[in-house]
Amino acid sequence: MDIGEFVTVFQDGGVRAWLDWDALESAGCAVRERFSRSPDVLGGLFTVWYQAANGTDGDWRNPGDRPLRVAECADAMDIWPTDRRERIRGFADAFRGEARPVQLVLPAYAVGGDEAVLLDGTHRAVAAYLAGVDVRIMLFVLDGPIDPRMLPDLGHYR
């Protein structure tokens, strides 16, 4: 997949992270495809959800708040707003009822090595991890500058 295809698939697909779509091509971003069946790979992905130092729901705007990985989100259900918890639980219940592996197609942004932050699909990713189901993960990872102008969350990864 090239950057143009990434934009075609994911920009209109409802990516909610504040990605600067116009800057992707000019920044020289490339797209790397990764496939995994590992719950550890899923659990290790960073999210755009944060936890404050006092253990409450955090925000990317707060330099002291830290981005959580999918596995940490599954363990922090009690700090999330009610609508987020309910949505995650709804997906987890549906995933447990599936006879086949859960397939997750997830856009992400590389933040160093094999580490990446999810740009969308976080509710589904956390739910699949929480449900403990068999997963098939297809990641489309943007390789670009670690620059908060590309994605504000990237300021936490410098």
Side-chain angles (χ1 to χ4, degrees):
M1 174 180 284
D2 65 25
I3 194 65
E5 293 167 327
F6 184 93
V7 170
T8 298
V9 170
F10 293 109
Q11 183 177 26
D12 293 333
V15 167
R16 296 180 188 173
W18 291 0
L19 188 62
D20 184 347
W21 292 97
D22 295 331
L24 293 178
E25 195 167 357
S26 63
C29 292
V31 182
R32 190 170 20 119
E33 298 174 18
R34 290 177 54 200
F35 171 80
S36 181
R37 297 174 55 183
S38 169
D40 292 336
V41 167
L42 181 61
L45 293 169
F46 282 103
T47 70
V48 292
W49 296 346
Y50 291 78
Q51 188 171 41
N54 66 2
T56 60
D57 188 14
D59 190 279
W60 65 268
R61 293 172 196 90
N62 301 327
D65 293 359
R66 67 180 188 84
L68 296 177
R69 295 179 187 266
V70 166
E72 293 174 305
C73 291
D75 292 336
M77 290 285 288
D78 58 331
I79 72 168
W80 306 130
T82 303
D83 60 331
R84 185 182 296 173
R85 282 194 312 264
E86 289 176 3
R87 192 160 182 216
I88 292 168
R89 286 187 181 123
F91 277 128
D93 290 344
F95 291 160
R96 284 186 196 104
E98 291 290 321
R100 297 181 182 186
V102 171
Q103 296 183 16
L104 299 172
V105 176
L106 302 168
Y109 199 103
V111 291
D114 283 337
E115 294 194 319
V117 59
L118 290 174
L119 299 173
D120 196 38
T122 307
H123 292 86
R124 292 178 292 119
V126 171
Y129 187 85
L130 184 66
V133 296
D134 192 15
V135 293
R136 304 293 184 268
I137 308 155
M138 178 56 86
L139 289 171
F140 293 93
V141 182
L142 287 171
D143 281 313
I146 306 298
D147 183 343
R149 291 174 296 185
M150 294 294 294
L151 175 70
D153 300 83
L154 295 176
H156 288 271
Y157 297 93
R158 288 192 200 190

